[in-house]
């Protein structure tokens, strides 16, 4: 009797509603799996239509075209003699389900609907699908006529069931079911299922990969078994990047893995494993606990073996060590791959970045440079798909990139948009970085456009606004800054549309934004300034992480110009200079440091804190640096800024989702955009606690530390509710 099985899982760069491309990639993965000797091929979640179809799942066309692709798969000679496990939406009894379809040799074996839905964070599965709630129950599913014509079957099993081959038993999980406290693999393992599969659509977030790996390992370390994990990769049309990491594990050890970030559209991972290792593991460790539920798993039998009878000399895969990327490497790779998918699929000819000489826009430019490094490496490694896409982007059929700097010159245009308030320092820093990464760089002076707009205002009103340092009011000061910022946005799009035309080249450019997640939290940017771009690769990344990323770029890419950028204080340069030097800084404008904003952002979103509970946490977290009254002042200041500027998030540029505290209003952080920014009740609760903290009687139970002294400052008086576009603006747009 055979005991060794070769199994294959994969990561596919699918695209929502790209049925032709999705079919091609699925077939290619099956072909590679068979070449590896695999008898079972697992694919990602909803791979036939793409996971990111969103409200297109409501359309009957999406269901129809998915079945049409399934028919093509059933008919293809590539899918013969291997169990294929594919994902697609299916409607059963007029209810829509997210399903796995297992088939072999033109016969559908079973359809397994998802039982536990992902309905948190960026996921909204219950908007489109219903969970299968009938544990251990199976019904008959009547196949569409087009499928019946191929399979000769009228009905197939539909429900919570497992597949029994002649030599083992295979059970299915789907994405979030692995993360659930009552994961299906637990009961399946107790009922003797030996191979678990998980088809996923798991997106990248910084510092998340180890959670996923640990969950896969823990699924089999408790009760033994083999675990296959498949995932999507790439940008399938939305803000998230699916980061692969296909893997196989046995008895708590990872034995094969795929890349987390890759430009390969199809990546197949296979491993040969011994079923007797699972049985031996369970026999020694788990035997006393191998109890079957009152109602065991429904088994669908198939006359097929994953193993062969002469496998004694077949080597098996051994445990490997998973080396995780650092956060800096993740920023370098994830957004770069996302940008490449967006660029090649949008049909545009490159990117334009308004480069200010500051940390944020420099980070965006460096991510594009990292993308060029990945592209050149892929071409050198013989990736024909990447070379074909590069040639299409640069509109040269025989082009082959020489090096990342040369390719960057063709794909990336940077521009420094100076005003009378810009310093020579930022101009030289922007030019120095552009020279090192190789971008096509322009210096543009916006003063003529700004004065033209103000001239129109003056003709109509008879008034000419002044900066605060020249005697103007706060309202005038903000308006003058906002005019500069918005002129830059208009010019950025003008040069993106006509820049290549002016050089006699075809195509247009995508404008990249450079607002980080912390600035979005407080609204520290001008609405419809050059943060209003086509896409933003750093909109989900904190300022702290971006600084670390630039330090990484100094060493990894030898971009020494970044040292000067990192040493300079962040500034918008929208107010007049003082003796030729910058007098305006971001943190002074915001009233909060970037490190403080990162902490506040995580408490607001991840810990679900309102003003009062945030104050209660921060008085302990910041007790060594700030008094309770100072903490209260910062909390109130943040929530005033946040609520006054929340309306900006309704128009924020689509950003790469990288942080779990992102304030993205459109997909992730669903909240009102018109607040009562007085927060009267909430702030009063904070104020009521301050008198209780005047004496050092609050002692931390764990550490025994106490505050020395009481309230340093009286709580600030609540500001009136702001209204009107001038009051609600907060400027920030680098030149």
């Amino acid at each position: 009797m055979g005991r060794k099985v070769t199994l294959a899982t994969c990561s596919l760069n699918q695209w929502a509603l790209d049925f032709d491309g999705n079919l091609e990639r699925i077939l290619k993965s099956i072909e590679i799996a068979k070449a590896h000797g695999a008898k079972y091929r697992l694919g990602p979640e909803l791979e036939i239509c793409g996971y990111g179809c969103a409200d297109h799942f409501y359309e009957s066309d999406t269901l129809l075209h998915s079945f049409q692709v399934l028919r093509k798969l059933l008919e293809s000679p590539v899918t013969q003699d291997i169990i294929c496990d594919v994902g697609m939406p299916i409607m059963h009894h007029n209810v829509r389900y997210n399903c796995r379809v297992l088939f072999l040799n033109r016969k559908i074996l079973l359809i397994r609907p998802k039982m536990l839905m992902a309905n948190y964070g960026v996921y909204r599965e219950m908007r489109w699908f219903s969970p299968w709630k009938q544990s251990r129950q199976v019904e008959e599913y009547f196949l569409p006529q087009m499928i019946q014509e191929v399979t000769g079957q009228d009905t197939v099993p539909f429900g919570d069931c497992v597949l029994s081959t002649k030599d083992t038993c295979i059970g299915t999980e789907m994405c979030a079911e692995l993360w659930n406290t009552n994961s299906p693999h637990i009961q399946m393992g107790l009922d003797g299922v030996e191979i678990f599969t998980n088809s996923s659509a798991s997106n990248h977030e910084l510092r998340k990969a180890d959670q996923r790996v640990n969950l896969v390992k823990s699924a089999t370390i408790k009760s033994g078994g083999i675990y296959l994990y498949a995932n999507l990769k790439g940008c399938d049309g939305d803000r998230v990047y699916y980061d692969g990491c296909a893997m196989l594990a046995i008895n708590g050890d990872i034995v094969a893995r795929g890349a987390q970030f890759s430009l390969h559209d199809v990546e197949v991972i296979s491993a040969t494993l011994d079923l007797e290792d699972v049985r031996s593991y369970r026999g020694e460790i788990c035997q006393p606990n191998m109890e079957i539920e009152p109602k065991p798993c429904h088994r669908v039998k198939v006359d097929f073996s994953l193993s062969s009878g002469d496998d004694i000399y077949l080597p098996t895969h051994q445990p490997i060590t998973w080396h995780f990327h650092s956060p800096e490497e993740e920023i370098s790779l994830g957004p770069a791959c996302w940008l490449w998918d967006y660029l090649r699929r949008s049909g545009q000819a490159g990117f334009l970045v308004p480069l200010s000489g500051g940390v944020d826009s420099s980070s965006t430019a460096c991510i594009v440079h990292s993308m060029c490094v990945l592209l050149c490496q892929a071409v050198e490694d013989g990736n024909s798909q990447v070379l074909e896409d590069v040639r299409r982007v640069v509109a040269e059929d025989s082009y082959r990139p020489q090096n990342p700097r040369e390719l960057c010159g063709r794909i990336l245009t940077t521009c420094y948009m100076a005003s009378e308030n810009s310093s020579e320092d930022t101009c030289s820093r922007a030019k120095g970085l552009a020279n090192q990464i190789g971008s096509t760089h322009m210096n543009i002076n916006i003063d003529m456009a700004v004065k033209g707009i103000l001239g129109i205002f003056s003709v109509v009103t008879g008034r000419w606004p002044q900066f605060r340092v020249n005697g103007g009011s706060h309202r005038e000061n903000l308006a003058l800054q906002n005019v500069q910022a918005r002129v830059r946005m208009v010019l950025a799009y003008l040069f993106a549309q006509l820049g290549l035309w002016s050089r006699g080249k075809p195509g247009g450019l995508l404008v990249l934004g450079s607002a980080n997640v912390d600035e979005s939290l407080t609204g520290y940017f001008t609405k419809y300034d050059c943060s209003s771009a086509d896409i933003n690769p750093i909109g989900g990344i904190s300022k702290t992480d971006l600084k670390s990323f630039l330090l990484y770029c100094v060493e990894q890419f030898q971009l020494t110009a970044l040292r000067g950028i990192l040493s300079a204080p962040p500034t918008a340069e929208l107010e007049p200079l003082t003796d030729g030097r910058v007098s305006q800084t971001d943190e002074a404008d915001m009233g909060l440091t970037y490190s403080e904003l990162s902490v506040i952002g995580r408490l607001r979103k991840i810990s679900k804190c309102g003003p009062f509970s945030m104050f209660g946490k921060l008085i302990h977290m910041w007790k060594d640096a700030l008094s309770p009254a100072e903490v209260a002042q910062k909390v109130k200041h943040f929530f005033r800024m946040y609520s006054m500027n929340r309306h900006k998030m309704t128009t924020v540029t689509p950003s790469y989702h990288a942080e779990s505290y992102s304030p993205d209003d459109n997909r992730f952080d669903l909240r009102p955009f018109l607040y009562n920014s007085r927060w009267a009740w909430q702030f009063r609760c904070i104020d009521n606690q301050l008198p209780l903290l005047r004496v050092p009687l609050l002692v931390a139970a764990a550490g025994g530390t106490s505050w020395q002294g009481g309230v340093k400052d009286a709580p600030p008086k609540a500001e009136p509710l702001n209204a009107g576009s001038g009051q609600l603006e907060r400027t920030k747009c680098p030149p």
Side-chain angles (χ1 to χ4, degrees):
M1 180 182 68
R3 48 187 272 174
K4 296 177 182 177
V5 295
T6 301
L7 310 167
T9 182
C10 63
S11 295
L12 303 183
N13 194 336
Q14 304 297 72
W15 191 7
L17 303 176
D18 178 24
F19 292 99
D20 285 312
N22 293 347
L23 171 61
E24 179 183 345
R25 287 180 285 271
I26 292 170
L27 286 172
K28 184 176 180 181
S29 70
I30 297 171
E31 185 176 10
I32 296 173
K34 290 179 69 175
H36 290 179
K39 294 293 185 179
Y40 187 100
R41 175 268 183 198
L42 176 71
E45 188 172 11
L46 293 169
E47 59 189 303
I48 285 180
C49 59
Y51 183 83
C53 295
D55 281 0
H56 289 288
F57 284 123
Y58 290 136
E59 300 169 2
S60 61
D61 281 7
T62 304
L63 300 174
L64 169 66
H65 300 327
S66 295
F67 271 113
Q68 290 170 336
V69 171
L70 179 61
R71 174 171 176 149
K72 293 285 188 182
L73 290 170
L74 288 164
E75 293 175 331
S76 173
V78 173
T79 63
Q80 302 305 297
D81 300 320
I82 183 172
I83 297 177
C84 298
D85 187 336
V86 299
M88 60 181 283
I90 292 178
M91 184 171 283
H92 176 56
H93 293 171
N94 291 330
V95 179
R96 194 180 301 102
Y97 295 100
N98 176 351
C99 295
R100 302 303 301 174
V101 180
L102 279 67
F103 63 90
L104 170 68
N105 294 336
R106 299 169 69 97
K107 299 288 185 183
I108 293 178
L109 304 176
L110 62 87
I111 299 175
R112 201 283 206 174
K114 193 170 186 177
M115 302 173 66
L116 301 169
M117 314 302 289
N119 212 54
Y120 45 81
V122 295
Y123 298 101
R124 296 287 181 272
E125 288 182 2
M126 292 190 71
R127 178 178 174 90
W128 309 296
F129 301 107
S130 294
W132 181 259
K133 297 182 179 180
Q134 303 174 62
S135 177
R136 300 291 188 268
Q137 293 189 31
V138 175
E139 298 178 356
E140 285 189 324
Y141 176 76
F142 285 83
L143 294 170
Q145 183 67 33
M146 73 173 85
I147 304 299
Q148 293 182 25
E149 293 171 356
V150 178
T151 66
Q153 301 165 286
D154 295 326
T155 63
V156 294
F158 184 102
D160 182 14
C161 51
V162 298
L163 184 65
S164 285
T165 64
K166 296 172 70 175
D167 50 1
T168 188
C169 188
I170 306 166
T172 298
E173 283 190 328
M174 295 175 68
C175 198
E177 293 176 349
L178 172 63
W179 300 72
N180 195 275
T181 54
N182 190 26
S183 296
H185 72 259
I186 298 172
Q187 296 303 326
M188 288 192 294
L190 293 175
D191 195 16
V193 174
E194 295 177 327
I195 300 174
F196 310 105
T197 67
N198 187 300
S199 303
S200 190
S202 181
N203 68 286
H204 171 240
E205 282 185 4
L206 295 175
R207 306 171 179 89
K208 173 185 171 183
D210 63 318
Q211 301 176 34
R212 186 187 298 146
V213 174
N214 289 335
L215 282 169
V216 169
K217 292 168 67 175
S218 68
T220 58
I221 200 171
K222 292 177 290 187
S223 60
I226 296 170
Y227 204 101
L228 283 74
Y229 177 86
N231 194 19
L232 293 169
K233 68 160 61 173
C235 167
D236 79 337
D238 209 335
R239 293 159 171 79
V240 299
Y241 176 81
Y242 301 103
D243 58 338
C245 293
M247 67 187 96
L248 292 96
I250 181 170
N251 299 340
D253 291 318
I254 304 295
V255 295
R257 60 157 293 187
Q260 184 177 11
F261 307 105
S262 168
L263 298 183
H264 291 283
D265 285 346
V266 177
E267 183 182 32
V268 178
I269 307 300
S270 62
T272 300
L273 301 168
D274 195 334
L275 293 172
E276 289 301 315
D277 289 339
V278 175
R279 295 159 187 164
S280 299
Y281 186 93
R282 288 179 171 177
E284 179 180 359
I285 297 177
C286 311
Q287 184 66 38
N289 301 315
M290 297 292 284
E291 301 171 356
I292 301 175
E293 276 196 334
K295 193 170 185 180
C297 298
H298 180 96
R299 280 167 161 76
V300 176
K301 298 178 182 179
V302 57
D303 186 17
F304 186 76
S305 295
L306 299 185
S307 60
S308 60
D310 54 352
D311 58 10
I312 190 168
Y313 297 109
L314 191 64
T316 57
H317 283 65
Q318 300 303 308
I320 62 173
T321 301
W322 194 299
H323 298 286
F324 296 99
H325 291 291
S326 68
E328 294 77 20
E329 290 173 327
E330 290 186 85
I331 295 171
S332 174
L333 298 170
C337 293
W338 182 74
L339 284 180
W340 174 239
D341 277 347
Y342 200 100
L343 176 61
R344 67 189 179 118
R345 288 174 170 171
S346 68
Q348 299 302 298
F351 300 113
L352 181 138
V353 176
L355 188 61
S356 70
V359 167
D360 294 337
S361 60
S362 297
S363 296
T364 297
C366 286
I367 288 171
V368 178
H369 177 73
S370 177
M371 182 194 79
C372 292
V373 171
L374 292 175
L375 292 173
C376 289
Q377 185 62 54
V379 170
E380 185 178 332
D381 293 341
N383 190 321
S384 58
Q385 182 63 59
V386 169
L387 181 58
E388 178 185 331
D389 290 336
V390 168
R391 287 172 172 171
R392 188 174 65 252
V393 168
V394 302
E396 287 188 26
D397 292 338
S398 60
Y399 173 72
R400 190 178 185 89
Q402 301 172 17
N403 55 64
R405 190 174 183 277
E406 182 269 337
L407 178 59
C408 199
R410 291 174 175 265
I411 288 180
L412 177 62
T413 297
T414 54
C415 57
Y416 181 85
M417 293 192 258
S419 73
E420 60 186 13
N421 303 316
S422 303
S423 66
E424 288 296 326
D425 292 339
T426 53
C427 180
S428 62
R429 287 196 291 266
K431 184 178 180 180
L433 178 60
N435 180 62
Q436 288 189 355
I437 65 176
S439 64
T440 299
H441 189 64
M442 299 180 291
N443 281 316
I444 304 169
N445 192 290
I446 68 170
D447 287 336
M448 183 183 303
V450 172
K451 290 176 181 177
I453 292 173
L454 293 177
I456 294 172
F457 178 82
S458 179
V459 168
V460 174
T461 65
R463 304 287 297 275
W464 192 283
Q466 299 293 325
F467 281 105
R468 182 165 42 201
V469 296
N470 297 327
S473 65
H474 176 69
R475 181 178 297 185
E476 293 172 77
N477 199 63
L478 281 178
L480 288 173
Q481 294 181 69
N482 291 332
V483 166
Q484 297 171 72
R486 290 183 175 125
V487 162
R488 289 183 174 122
M489 185 270 287
V490 173
L491 288 173
Y493 273 98
L494 176 64
F495 279 91
Q497 287 182 304
L498 296 180
L500 294 180
W501 167 81
S502 68
R503 288 182 260 160
K505 297 182 178 180
L509 303 175
L510 292 166
V511 180
L512 297 184
S514 299
N516 62 63
V517 68
D518 299 322
E519 292 167 348
S520 297
L521 264 177
T522 58
Y524 185 63
F525 60 91
T526 299
K527 199 173 185 179
Y528 304 117
D529 69 349
C530 62
S531 65
S532 297
D534 292 310
I535 49 176
N536 180 358
I538 68 166
I541 305 174
S542 70
K543 190 81 161 191
T544 303
D545 281 337
L546 289 176
K547 289 181 177 179
S548 299
F549 164 64
L550 291 187
L551 283 172
Y552 166 83
C553 291
V554 172
E555 302 299 326
Q556 182 70 15
F557 304 129
Q558 289 75 54
L559 301 178
T560 55
L562 294 172
R563 296 190 188 278
I565 292 170
L566 284 164
S567 64
T571 175
E573 287 195 334
L574 295 171
E575 296 187 30
L577 303 174
T578 301
D579 298 326
R581 309 294 294 180
V582 171
S583 59
Q584 178 186 26
T585 63
D586 292 353
E587 293 185 337
D589 277 356
M590 291 188 296
L592 293 161
T593 66
Y594 282 108
S595 60
E596 289 171 343
L597 277 174
S598 291
V599 174
I600 287 173
R602 287 181 168 85
L603 289 176
R604 181 197 71 95
K605 177 64 178 176
I606 301 173
S607 300
K608 313 297 188 292
C609 287
F612 182 68
S613 55
M614 184 180 293
F615 167 74
K617 290 182 181 294
L618 288 177
I619 56 175
H620 299 286
M621 296 172 67
W622 291 348
K623 64 180 183 296
D624 295 331
L626 299 172
S627 71
E630 291 170 326
V631 172
Q633 187 172 358
K634 285 185 179 290
V635 170
K636 292 179 180 180
H637 179 63
F638 167 76
F639 274 97
R640 288 193 191 104
M641 291 179 65
Y642 163 76
S643 55
M644 288 162 54
N645 291 308
R646 179 67 191 188
H647 66 98
K648 297 180 183 179
M649 297 311 299
T650 63
T651 61
V652 70
T653 296
S655 301
Y656 181 94
H657 179 81
E659 272 291 359
S660 52
Y661 72 94
S662 167
D664 184 345
D665 179 76
N666 295 280
R667 291 289 189 278
F668 182 63
D669 190 38
L670 307 180
R671 300 172 192 245
F673 59 87
L674 177 62
Y675 281 90
N676 183 338
S677 60
R678 295 188 185 94
W679 299 86
W681 186 287
Q682 295 91 332
F683 288 0
R684 195 158 59 244
C685 288
I686 294 175
D687 292 340
N688 291 340
Q689 293 299 312
L690 288 175
L692 304 177
L693 305 175
R694 289 184 183 278
V695 291
L697 48 82
L698 202 93
V699 178
T705 55
S706 63
W707 287 301
Q708 302 301 315
V711 179
K712 295 183 179 179
D713 302 295
K717 183 179 179 181
E719 297 175 0
L721 176 65
N722 289 321
S725 60
Q727 296 280 355
L728 287 169
E729 284 298 345
R730 197 71 183 104
T731 58
K732 206 283 185 180
C733 179

